[in-house]
Amino acid sequence: MYIFATITFYEIMNEQDFGIKEIISHAKEYGFVFPSSEIYDGLQAVYDYGPYGVELKNNLKNLWWQAMVKLNENVVGLDAAIFMHPLTWKASGHVDGFNDPMIDNKDSKKRYRADVLLEDKAAALAIEGKQADADALLKQMGQLLSAEDLSGVRQLIIDSGIVCPISGTSNWTEVRQFNLMFSTQIGSVADDASNIYLRPETAQGIFVNFLNVQKSARMKVPFGVAQIGKAFRNEIVARQFIFRMREFEQMEMQFFIRPGEEMKWYEHWKQVRLKWHKALGIPADNLRFHDHDKLAHYANAAVDVEFKFPFGFKEVEGIHSRTDFDLGNHQELSKKKMQYFDPEINKNYVPYVIETSAGADRLFFMLLCNGYKQITVGEGENEKQRTFLKFHPALAPVKAAILPLVKKDGLPEIGRKIFDDLKYDFNLIYEDSQSIGKRYTRQDLIGTPFCIAIDHQTKEDEMVTIRHRDTTEQERVKITDLKSIIDKEVSIKNIFNELV
Ligand code: GAP
């Protein structure tokens, strides 16, 4: 099967993806993201996080958690299992409706998402300056998909002259719906009753625990439940690096509210979440809302927060007004009441829900794209390119590097002492070989905000040189002030201050 076919690290499908190539190479070279099981030529759309990647991702997840659970008194956490009772996915609509339309090319045997083939064609038309044709094509596709007219979608692909990039032919199969859930068996007996799914979203773990959380934490509507965890989707189109993966992580929050108040809370969470993205250091111009044209089966309003990736504005988070769809369906299928008694209005009801659903991997990718800087420094013969990763210091994988200028004369001992004093507070690197210039460059490439150089003068005055990543400016400071100087910059309170 094509899933195990040899892949390139880039998986570049069209020209628009090109700007991303350097960032992807950088991510691998400097220990952020590796292709999964690379020695066996990789596994499509599955990736591993390296030493600096895992730190950055953990910082991001921690920040989201703290911002949700600590800053909001009425939001609590949950960690539900990946496996859930199979009826969960019947109630949520995923068994019947979580499909992508796929089409195979009979000559190359390659499988594609029919809607993506048409979207790519529309993008190509737009690049050629034929925006009206592109819009018309997308509109027609939308209408056919809404009407579930799959043979109409196939005909549109043929009429638009779309050929398989591998075989170059338009020898297409029928378009079929392909369910994106991975299934496996639980227990030792393989029969229909033991079929189970890997969760395609973390949200359902929150819905089925709604009453457990509400009662045990004595929550009153409105309240939210936040969760971070893995989700799995058998994506047909695997490309754009960690943008679309088969195994990924979501950071989701379901906010339970009184029916009828959904638009108020929908607007509230839209603004809160946009602010959060800006507080990470993403310029406002590179963020935008995109209202859904076609609403998911569970939503009565939905918007994406999009970031301007090198390949265009794309979704990093969804905010959905899910009504009482999920709780109502779970109530019906489980025959267990999913109601809340609201003492203020003396009424029982199934709460409505506003969901904020961010992809940890997509936000990670956004931080990489936003942080990757290449600038020209120096003049004339001294002119050169300087590359660095400009992460918010609170998110940076390593906060400071301790760098004795030479590996002798007692400087390493001073460096080790500084390292030992600070290691409980910050993630640090100690390095005492190679030239100081090379060591600075290496820290720039992994986004370390501070380099601390120890020189011979340090022995006299107990002061060190701090070099700042973004400006390369250097300042002389007392060793005893290091903790407070670093702390001031890397504290997540800096981000929290932007949120309140
Ligand atoms: N519970 C609602 C839900 O899952 P979604 O729009 O399908 O909604 C939410 O997904 C977020 O999860 C997306 O905005 C994206 O950041 C992330 N996501 C979804 N599919 C993904 C994939 N295949 N790879 C990486 N991230 C993905």
Side-chain angles (χ1 to χ4, degrees), residues 242-275:
I242 55 173
F243 184 82
R244 196 175 301 285
M245 299 157 90
R246 293 199 167 109
E247 173 182 342
F248 57 99
E249 237 172 326
Q250 289 186 315
M251 307 190 291
E252 296 199 301
M253 196 263 318
Q254 310 297 323
F255 197 70
F256 299 95
I257 54 173
R258 262 184 212 159
E261 294 193 347
E262 62 267 30
M263 282 309 134
K264 177 179 95 181
W265 287 111
Y266 177 66
E267 283 307 322
H268 168 84
W269 282 108
K270 267 176 74 174
Q271 297 315 323
V272 170
R273 295 305 303 148
L274 187 66
K275 231 177 178 184

Side-chain angles (χ1 to χ4, degrees), residues 98 200-203 233 235 242-246 248-250 252 254 292 298 304 315-318 320 322 355 357-363:
F98 196 51
E201 61 171 12
T202 58
R233 296 181 188 179
E235 300 282 0
I242 55 173
F243 184 82
R244 196 175 301 285
M245 299 157 90
R246 293 199 167 109
F248 57 99
E249 237 172 326
Q250 289 186 315
E252 296 199 301
Q254 310 297 323
H292 285 206
Y298 51 73
D304 293 337
E315 172 189 353
V316 289
E317 171 159 3
H320 312 124
R322 290 184 79 130
E355 166 184 73
S357 176
D361 310 273
R362 283 207 192 159
L363 294 190

Side-chain angles (χ1 to χ4, degrees), residues 61-79:
K61 289 191 290 182
N62 181 43
L63 184 72
W64 181 88
W65 188 264
Q66 307 271 348
M68 281 295 176
V69 176
K70 265 198 180 163
L71 290 193
N72 297 291
E73 263 180 60
N74 57 354
V75 177
V76 289
L78 179 75
D79 184 15

Side-chain angles (χ1 to χ4, degrees), residues 131-141 156:
Q131 190 61 49
D133 292 348
D135 293 344
L137 184 62
L138 291 177
K139 191 169 172 204
Q140 217 179 333
M141 175 185 87
L156 188 61

